[in-house]
Amino acid sequence: MPPTESKSYDPASIEKDVFALWQERKAFEAGPKDGRDRKVPFCMVIPPPNVTGALHLGHALNNTLQDILIRQKRMAGFNTFWLVGTDHAGIATQATVEKTIRKDEGKSRHDLGRKELVKRIWEWKVKFGGRIVEQLRLMGCSCDYSRERFTLDDGCAKAVRETFFKLFRDGLIYRGKRLVNWDTQLQTAVADDEVYHEAVKGHFYHFKYPIVGERGPLARTNSDERAGGTPALPAEPTHVHIATTRPETMLADTAVAVHPDPAAVMEKRAAELREKLKEASDKDRPDVQVAIDDLVERQKTLLPVLVKLRDMAKANQKIMLPLMNREIPLICDEWADPTLGTGCVKITPAHDANDYEVGRRHDLPMINVMTPDGRVSDEGGAYKGMKFTDARKKVVEDMEALGLVEKIEDRMIDLGHSDRSKSPIEPYLSDQWFVRMGDLEPEHAAKIDGLRHKAPGLAQMAIDAVARGDVKFHPARYENTYGDWLGEKRDWCISRQLWWGHRIPVWRTMLTLSEKTWSSVMHTGGKFYRILSGEFGDENSICIHMRRAHDDLVVRDPARDMREYTPEYQGWYSVNLAFKDLPSPELQQVLDDSGFEQDPDVLDTWFSSALWPHSTLGWPGASAPSSGLKSQDSGLLSQFYPTQVLSTAREIITLWVARMVLTGLYNMGDVPFTDVVIHAVIQDGQGRKMSKTAGNGVDPVDIIEEYGADALRFTLADLATETQDIRLPVKPKKLPDGRSINISEKFEKGRNFCNKLWQASTGFVMRNLDGYSPKPLDPGSLRLEDRWILSRMTACQQSLDAALEKYRFSDAAGAVYHFMWDEYCSWYIEMTKSRLNQPEAPARESKTTPPQPSRYQGEGAGDRATAQQVLVYVLDRLLRMLHPFIPFVTEGIWQELNKIAPQRGLTILFDAAKDEPALITAQWSSIETRLRSTEIESEMDRLHGLIKGVRDIRADVNDYRGKAKQPSVRTLAKVVVRADVDTTHLIDRYRAFVTPLAGCDVLEVGPSVAKPAGAMSRVHATMQVYVPVADYVDLGAVKVAEQAKLDELRTVFERETARMSNEDFVKRADPGVVAQAKQRAADLSSRILMIEQHLAELS
RNA sequence: GGGCGUUUAGCUCAGUUGGCUAGAGCGCCUGCUCGACAUGCAGGAAGUCACAGGUUCGAGUCCUGUAACGCCCACCA
């Protein structure tokens, strides 16, 4: 693009070419061959997006931040590697493909079968799975696309098997009956965090269960008690009253519980409430009072009954479960809260998490009345086969028929729903695999190599790593989220009832051991024996786990521990075989013949993502020795593990970050990364989550089309503060093609910024380079403005580096934004214009002052060349600083600049510019502190003060003229500046750019120049600026303006003097602060004096 | 219920160990098509820093409490 025509920057015109250039140069690949010595590694792994997904704004933000980091490090000479890939995302992907198949072919997954479905999903993945990575390219993300990974690829599969095997062998994986959130539609267990709660309309059913025995209604023929009014039966309860929102689960009740000390609980609660009443606000008081009244009533009427029931429970009283006609015990358990409901609670261990715990405490049977598809199971008696929703109606009807329904209340119920299918969750007892997170017996823990730093368990090991500072969070507050969650040490359910994913590498069967079966199973010739004997591998590749059904006797090494038959081995065993490697065909045959079947479940997607940092770098290696489980060096692994930075959203700190730390330590003996950057969540303008369904989301690809990739990136970086949420006002926009998209005006900031840079570079700098030839310069040959911009440039570089160091992206973007716009464009470029426009003419010598020995030379021939040289040099440095944020436009400009001005050093200050054909791998600037000069900056501030003062007066003048409907004044005829000698020299020397920038024809300056009549003034500490304005406005207006100025200053002055007259302030404040205040007060006072004088003269 | 966070200009947000007259971008107002840029230039108005106390010479900043909002976790027979 030749710098001839003047038009706005068009991102689309260069983004594609620039990206191709980067790829051609293989700039993204780890260890780029660019001749630079890149020894120090810098590695990040991308949080793998779901392979089904499309880029959303959260991804855009996160990947912008990562790309900023990696680009900066690449320029700084690190051997950078940004690993990219996608996640197979079990449920999401399977659901997506199942849905298409159902729509297109009307078939379910069961119609297709497991093998076929998995094949179809792979086909789908190959065809559509590349979308999100393509979108990363659109954004300009400099990932190493040549090493793209997938959590279900062979390398990851190998890592998964190895990890599973190790955990299994170490006794950290177990299979147990546990309550899970069951999604009856997808027929899979759903993790707690995949469940959302939603209030739905429901009912609260009060049932009566008859008490068995002499006192109960089953003995007496009649029961006429009603709970309303006075209780007739403190002594003789005949029924237990329970309340439930899920009546159908009563089919699985195995007890009813009452609290062991109801009186105490009620009293304690009452005391709490009375305490609360004392401190309650007026608003809350009535509610608290109601609660107290309720409780008092309960103590009167309900407590005697509960005490009685408690005693009966202690006497092993039985209850008859209606409908099922099953005797169940009345038990004492603290779970039954006497202040809630009826004070008694039905216990359904197989269908409720709390009841499950109660069941375990009291050794109750666990009866599961639900089938995987949400129907009543064989255990449900007459209700067998009914859908749960239908069973509910029928149960209530039947209870009513028996007269056992006390009442039915309407109630809102907060019900768990599956994130995926949106169907209600059923707590369900099912067989699942778990990773043990809690602390182990010390002897057990000591035997596990993977538990580093003498950790007692997996969770604690990961907690300690952060506590030690091996992993740091930014912002630091997220360490709490991490630590709190891990601190619960809840076991991790890793099995999913899906077909898409890493299948659990365990083969299972049941064996009967008896004298009769012994030899055929365990002995020579027995098929199982071939496995036991080590024919297919030793304990480092096969782990055998036997558990006897009736007493949970565990045999870990049957080959060693069960050599000969003894009667004590008799029993039913469940046998689990875990293999580190996929079974060979021969072994597979043996497994088939011996009745082993592979577990049908797949692993939680997070299991493979947890390994992402090391599995993608090559762990466990092509031929990991099966013995030591030491990682085989794959090159990448030793070079890049541990990685440096992980950037992600806070919602997966627990699900993902914590588990990566855990498996990293367990498998590698070291944390997977040293720094975790947690970015904010982008919400819409009302603070709502962006979502497809709500239609309030912004598609980054739309933004790229509308504003350009750089605009997207810059704006996001600019927004990336340390807050937890970012609001982004969203606006719909209709496109010419009729499509409607969401945009946000926020992105205009980024677009405008890129355009500004483009205009300054191609429209100004490059167009003013004729005759450009860099030559050695020393600081003394530079003019004030040259030294000033170099000083400011250095300041910018300092702020930028410091901000990036601390992952403060918004500060980093802001620093470069203001340097480029306010200092380089608004001041420096403007200041060079007079030099560039008058190539041969030396700067005029002052007429009012004799020539001084100048501190700033170069005001003559060659000045133009110097201006060009500095202009180009600063642009060069600016492009380097901006490149991580807005890579496309900066690279585009760099390429043009290379053609026009390939050499761009300040030769004496720096080595001759190296040949840097691409900005992406150009060198990051080091900070040259000797270029920084606060003295220069403050001198320039004085000149800026003068220029702003004159502009200010002109704006005032035009304001008054506008009101009088007179044309505005562009250039003032004359400006008079009275200043001290030093300032006079300064201004005089630089009048060449002061006059045009201020906008005046004549500039008079001197320590004692005559003050013009009828002038507006601006006063500073070292100068007074007077602009005669009688020709433009009437003096009344001037007086008004001056008076306003005066009033403003007086207010501030009063505040300042009040402070100064405060003895305590003078005595106690930091001396520097006091001195500052003194100076300020003196300043103000002299300015006030000058304005007062000026006003007096005007009158 | 537990934890974390937010509350500063009309909007979106900065404001680091307490100390310049509390800032930026957008929007608004005034004026500018003068040779990079109207996606621009010059200037301006606009704030009881949520509220109430406290500590301090001094509080947007620290402490206590209150209110509203948001997020995460747990739980709700």
Side-chain angles (χ1 to χ4, degrees):
Chain A
M1 65 244 99
T4 48
E5 56 201 293
S6 151
K7 62 175 234 204
S8 296
Y9 168 56
D10 174 23
S13 70
I14 70 159
E15 286 179 2
K16 231 175 149 184
D17 293 343
V18 165
F19 196 83
L21 170 88
W22 293 331
Q23 287 208 301
E24 232 168 75
R25 303 188 60 84
K26 299 187 187 304
F28 300 159
E29 295 181 20
K33 310 266 180 301
D34 59 357
R36 287 173 74 180
D37 182 21
R38 295 176 178 273
K39 286 209 184 75
V40 185
F42 182 87
C43 181
M44 294 188 302
V45 293
I46 202 169
N50 286 359
V51 69
T52 51
L55 201 70
H56 57 59
L57 213 50
H59 293 128
L61 170 63
N62 192 25
N63 291 309
T64 294
L65 303 186
Q66 289 172 82
D67 199 41
I68 289 170
L69 292 173
I70 201 94
R71 280 180 186 270
Q72 193 262 326
K73 294 292 182 187
R74 185 181 296 117
M75 292 175 74
F78 289 80
N79 180 12
T80 48
F81 179 23
W82 184 11
L83 185 130
V84 68
T86 48
D87 191 297
H88 68 279
I91 298 180
T93 311
Q94 183 170 324
T96 304
V97 178
E98 273 190 66
K99 204 168 145 194
T100 357
I101 293 173
R102 204 176 304 126
K103 208 175 101 202
D104 297 350
E105 304 167 39
K107 285 182 180 163
S108 75
R109 78 179 124 131
H110 301 288
D111 297 331
L112 293 178
R114 181 165 190 149
K115 220 171 158 185
E116 179 65 13
L117 182 78
V118 170
K119 193 181 130 218
R120 296 287 196 94
I121 301 174
W122 271 109
E123 284 166 4
W124 185 94
K125 187 261 171 188
V126 168
K127 211 165 157 192
F128 303 108
R131 178 173 56 160
I132 195 152
V133 175
E134 280 311 307
Q135 291 173 327
L136 291 175
R137 291 172 204 252
L138 288 182
M139 281 187 58
C141 293
S142 58
C143 318
D144 188 342
Y145 297 99
S146 71
R147 292 185 167 90
E148 182 180 336
R149 296 296 298 269
F150 181 48
T151 54
L152 212 51
D153 64 23
D154 288 345
C156 289
K158 200 168 167 53
V160 162
R161 279 196 305 271
E162 173 110 10
T163 306
F164 187 96
F165 181 80
K166 277 180 67 185
L167 289 167
F168 189 87
R169 190 196 59 181
D170 289 343
L172 291 169
I173 282 185
Y174 65 92
R175 184 174 164 83
K177 280 221 179 289
R178 287 288 291 262
L179 266 176
V180 292
N181 305 303
W182 190 257
D183 182 328
T184 55
Q185 192 177 326
L186 297 171
Q187 299 193 28
T188 180
V190 176
D192 287 347
D193 29 67
E194 289 165 342
V195 174
Y196 67 95
H197 291 264
E198 198 174 75
V200 297
K201 266 194 188 156
H203 305 284
F204 200 38
Y205 303 88
H206 293 249
F207 287 170
K208 294 188 287 190
Y209 290 179
I211 288 171
V212 176
E214 289 170 23
R215 284 177 269 197
L218 302 178
R220 307 201 323 199
T221 43
N222 179 25
S223 71
D224 201 20
E225 292 79 18
R226 295 184 55 240
T230 50
L233 45 125
E236 303 287 325
T238 58
H239 291 81
V240 188
H241 296 251
I242 58 97
T244 179
T245 55
R246 301 171 66 209
E248 67 282 5
T249 62
M250 70 170 284
L251 303 173
D253 283 0
T254 53
V256 170
V258 63
H259 196 279
D261 191 356
V265 173
M266 283 181 163
E267 195 36 59
K268 191 171 162 229
R269 177 82 186 128
E272 282 167 11
L273 284 172
R274 280 192 289 270
E275 201 54 38
K276 198 171 164 194
L277 185 66
K278 275 191 215 155
E279 287 164 17
S281 62
D282 291 348
K283 203 178 98 191
D284 296 339
R285 192 161 295 125
D287 291 344
V288 179
Q289 190 57 54
V290 166
I292 291 179
D293 294 347
D294 277 0
L295 191 59
V296 169
E297 181 62 21
R298 258 173 191 279
Q299 282 175 313
K300 252 193 274 172
T301 57
L302 190 59
L303 183 55
V305 183
L306 293 179
V307 170
K308 196 76 202 157
L309 288 170
R310 188 265 320 270
D311 294 341
M312 291 164 75
K314 285 191 170 163
N316 296 320
Q317 179 63 52
K318 296 278 188 272
I319 290 163
M320 182 55 71
L321 181 66
L323 308 182
M324 299 302 288
N325 294 321
R326 180 165 74 227
E327 274 197 8
I328 57 175
L330 182 63
I331 60 171
C332 281
D333 192 280
E334 300 196 343
W335 166 240
D337 185 342
T339 67
L340 285 179
T342 63
C344 295
V345 59
K346 67 196 257 313
I347 303 298
T348 323
H351 291 273
D352 179 279
N354 293 295
D355 292 6
Y356 176 76
E357 292 304 322
V358 177
R360 280 170 57 119
R361 280 200 287 274
H362 296 267
D363 214 11
L364 297 172
M366 313 229 167
I367 299 174
N368 179 9
V369 289
M370 194 181 74
T371 59
D373 60 348
R375 291 173 184 275
V376 178
S377 73
D378 295 354
E379 304 275 4
Y383 303 88
K384 178 185 166 183
M386 296 174 81
K387 280 173 109 175
F388 248 46
T389 42
D390 298 335
R392 170 173 301 185
K393 284 183 208 136
K394 189 77 166 76
V395 163
V396 175
E397 270 173 33
D398 292 351
M399 286 294 279
E400 271 178 327
L402 290 172
L404 293 174
V405 176
E406 177 88 25
K407 58 177 170 177
I408 301 173
E409 297 172 74
D410 288 334
R411 186 192 251 213
M412 291 307 284
I413 297 166
D414 205 18
L415 201 61
H417 287 74
S418 165
D419 239 351
R420 293 286 165 209
S421 69
K422 312 296 172 201
S423 60
I425 288 297
E426 295 289 345
Y428 175 55
L429 198 63
S430 93
D431 290 316
Q432 302 291 339
W433 292 95
F434 290 85
V435 174
R436 214 180 288 281
M437 301 291 283
D439 298 351
L440 309 171
E441 294 294 321
E443 314 87 74
H444 183 185
K447 271 188 257 167
I448 300 176
D449 291 343
L451 289 178
R452 319 287 166 148
H453 301 281
K454 296 189 176 146
L458 289 174
Q460 192 59 49
M461 177 168 66
I463 292 171
D464 293 345
V466 168
R468 269 199 309 274
D470 292 353
V471 177
K472 291 186 203 65
F473 279 84
H474 308 274
R477 62 172 183 272
Y478 289 115
E479 281 173 19
N480 295 332
T481 310
Y482 173 92
D484 290 352
W485 184 81
L486 274 175
E488 292 176 20
K489 302 187 178 177
R490 297 202 299 170
D491 288 348
W492 173 16
C493 177
I494 51 169
S495 46
R496 291 298 135 96
Q497 289 64 47
L498 291 172
W499 292 349
W500 174 245
H502 294 282
R503 192 158 171 183
I504 289 179
V506 170
W507 277 255
R508 305 203 321 256
T509 196
M510 297 293 289
L511 286 180
T512 313
L513 285 190
S514 64
E515 194 165 5
K516 256 185 168 169
T517 61
W518 183 260
S519 60
S520 65
V521 173
M522 303 292 288
H523 225 276
T524 324
K527 279 169 181 155
F528 186 38
Y529 179 79
R530 293 183 63 190
I531 298 169
L532 279 183
S533 69
E535 183 183 336
F536 297 101
D538 60 12
E539 73 274 12
N540 291 309
S541 58
I542 299 178
C543 183
I544 304 170
H545 188 276
M546 291 176 64
R547 177 190 288 266
R548 189 154 62 188
H550 71 267
D551 62 354
D552 281 355
L553 172 82
V554 171
V555 184
R556 289 218 162 264
D557 190 351
R560 190 188 64 207
D561 299 338
M562 295 175 109
R563 287 181 178 277
E564 296 300 329
Y565 177 76
T566 68
E568 62 184 274
Y569 292 152
Q570 205 165 317
W572 257 74
Y573 289 82
S574 74
V575 182
N576 291 328
L577 293 180
F579 297 100
K580 196 168 79 176
D581 304 309
L582 282 177
S584 64
E586 198 188 352
L587 173 55
Q588 186 62 59
Q589 192 58 52
V590 172
L591 290 169
D592 290 347
D593 293 348
S594 326
F596 279 94
E597 280 182 14
Q598 187 173 5
D599 192 292
D601 289 358
V602 298
L603 287 163
D604 179 12
T605 305
W606 295 109
F607 192 91
S608 46
S609 359
L611 310 177
W612 188 243
H614 56 284
S615 68
T616 52
L617 289 174
W619 187 88
S623 54
S626 46
S627 54
L629 288 171
K630 269 200 128 179
S631 56
Q632 179 80 349
D633 183 6
S634 72
L636 285 182
L637 194 64
S638 64
Q639 245 185 306
F640 292 109
Y641 193 94
T643 71
Q644 276 65 47
V645 178
L646 180 90
S647 173
T648 191
R650 66 171 181 276
E651 60 183 5
I652 52 175
I653 290 173
T654 54
L655 289 178
W656 191 46
V657 179
R659 287 164 182 170
M660 279 192 289
V661 173
L662 192 148
T663 63
L665 286 163
Y666 181 72
N667 284 334
M668 298 292 300
D670 200 354
V671 293
F673 30 72
T674 51
D675 293 89
V676 179
V677 175
I678 302 295
H679 63 72
V681 170
I682 303 179
Q683 305 171 330
D684 73 359
Q686 279 83 51
R688 294 172 308 191
K689 223 173 187 171
M690 285 190 176
S691 80
K692 245 189 207 154
T693 43
N696 61 346
V698 171
D699 184 341
V701 176
D702 289 339
I703 299 301
I704 290 173
E705 277 168 23
E706 286 288 305
Y707 299 100
D710 289 327
L712 170 74
R713 295 170 57 116
F714 187 83
T715 299
L716 290 175
D718 189 53
L719 290 172
T721 59
E722 292 197 342
T723 177
Q724 71 174 2
D725 302 310
I726 298 170
R727 287 190 185 193
L728 188 85
V730 173
K731 200 172 102 171
K733 172 170 176 173
K734 199 109 180 141
L735 295 183
D737 63 10
R739 215 155 49 93
S740 185
I741 59 169
N742 281 336
I743 58 162
S744 173
E745 288 176 357
K746 283 268 181 186
F747 293 105
E748 288 175 10
K749 184 174 186 182
R751 179 200 57 184
N752 296 353
F753 182 66
C754 293
N755 183 56
K756 182 79 177 175
L757 178 69
W758 180 259
Q759 298 297 348
S761 311
T762 63
F764 182 82
V765 178
M766 291 186 201
R767 271 205 257 176
N768 282 291
L769 291 184
D770 43 306
Y772 168 76
S773 67
K775 59 175 199 244
L777 291 177
D778 69 74
S781 76
L782 299 171
R783 286 175 48 130
L784 174 69
E785 62 268 37
D786 300 329
R787 294 189 62 191
W788 173 79
I789 196 68
L790 292 171
S791 179
R792 294 308 305 152
M793 180 190 83
T794 308
C796 177
Q797 186 83 50
Q798 285 169 329
S799 314
L800 173 62
D801 286 4
L804 286 177
E805 187 80 19
K806 289 183 279 189
Y807 308 103
R808 297 185 62 113
F809 296 97
S810 180
D811 288 355
V816 206
Y817 180 94
H818 288 290
F819 173 69
M820 189 280 269
W821 202 302
D822 300 338
E823 300 184 313
Y824 187 67
C825 291
S826 294
W827 284 115
Y828 188 70
I829 283 183
E830 293 304 324
M831 288 187 287
T832 58
K833 280 180 180 170
S834 57
R835 296 159 79 186
L836 294 170
N837 288 341
Q838 301 175 332
E840 302 310 327
R844 275 182 303 159
E845 283 304 319
S846 160
K847 280 173 190 146
T848 51
T849 51
Q852 301 277 328
S854 176
R855 273 184 287 161
Y856 313 103
Q857 295 155 16
E859 300 173 28
D863 187 52
R864 178 172 193 266
T866 306
Q868 287 178 327
Q869 204 170 333
V870 175
L871 211 44
V872 171
Y873 174 71
V874 177
L875 176 59
D876 174 290
R877 298 287 136 167
L878 184 57
L879 291 171
R880 293 174 204 251
M881 290 194 268
L882 280 170
H883 183 258
F885 301 88
I886 46 174
F888 288 109
V889 66
T890 49
E891 184 73 80
I893 295 167
W894 187 267
Q895 293 304 319
E896 290 309 307
L897 204 56
N898 273 355
K899 289 178 203 158
I900 299 172
Q903 262 206 308
R904 306 189 280 273
L906 291 187
T907 355
I908 195 100
L909 287 169
F910 301 98
D911 294 341
K914 287 200 199 93
D915 181 27
E916 302 205 290
L919 181 54
I920 185 170
T921 46
Q923 193 163 357
W924 189 251
S925 300
S926 52
I927 293 165
E928 294 288 341
T929 41
R930 65 200 155 130
L931 289 184
R932 187 81 201 276
S933 163
T934 46
E935 190 196 344
I936 297 287
E937 289 183 14
S938 84
E939 289 197 347
M940 187 55 86
D941 283 347
R942 276 189 277 173
L943 294 180
H944 288 172
L946 165 61
I947 293 164
K948 278 169 160 306
V950 177
R951 285 173 175 175
D952 203 9
I953 291 173
R954 191 182 54 221
D956 258 2
V957 164
N958 283 333
D959 199 28
Y960 287 111
R961 287 172 66 82
K963 278 172 199 154
K965 302 208 185 317
Q966 289 172 295
S968 57
V969 176
R970 183 171 308 148
T971 308
L972 298 163
K974 185 174 174 184
V975 170
V976 175
V977 182
R978 203 185 270 172
D980 59 36
V981 177
D982 195 44
T983 310
T984 298
H985 292 158
L986 181 72
I987 296 169
D988 196 36
R989 206 168 297 120
Y990 293 100
R991 60 172 64 243
F993 70 72
V994 170
T995 30
L997 286 184
C1000 64
D1001 295 329
V1002 177
L1003 174 65
E1004 266 184 42
V1005 54
S1008 52
V1009 286
K1011 191 164 117 185
M1016 277 195 190
S1017 77
R1018 286 296 182 275
V1019 293
H1020 300 265
T1022 56
M1023 63 180 135
Q1024 303 148 50
V1025 181
Y1026 298 103
V1027 178
V1029 294
D1031 291 346
Y1032 310 124
V1033 293
D1034 71 81
L1035 285 180
V1038 175
K1039 274 190 263 179
V1040 170
E1042 294 293 324
Q1043 188 63 49
K1045 209 84 210 158
L1046 181 62
D1047 292 345
E1048 196 188 319
L1049 286 177
R1050 274 182 178 155
T1051 316
V1052 182
F1053 179 71
E1054 275 159 33
R1055 202 183 314 170
E1056 214 49 59
T1057 44
R1059 200 151 75 125
M1060 292 302 301
S1061 59
N1062 181 343
E1063 271 180 49
D1064 283 326
F1065 171 69
V1066 180
K1067 217 161 44 193
R1068 299 191 192 199
D1070 183 87
V1073 173
V1074 177
Q1076 245 178 14
K1078 255 186 199 156
Q1079 180 60 44
R1080 204 162 45 239
D1083 247 36
L1084 285 164
S1085 142
S1086 76
R1087 287 166 68 187
I1088 287 168
L1089 201 67
M1090 285 188 271
I1091 297 179
E1092 279 169 349
Q1093 281 172 1
H1094 185 56
L1095 255 175
E1097 287 168 24
L1098 282 174
S1099 300

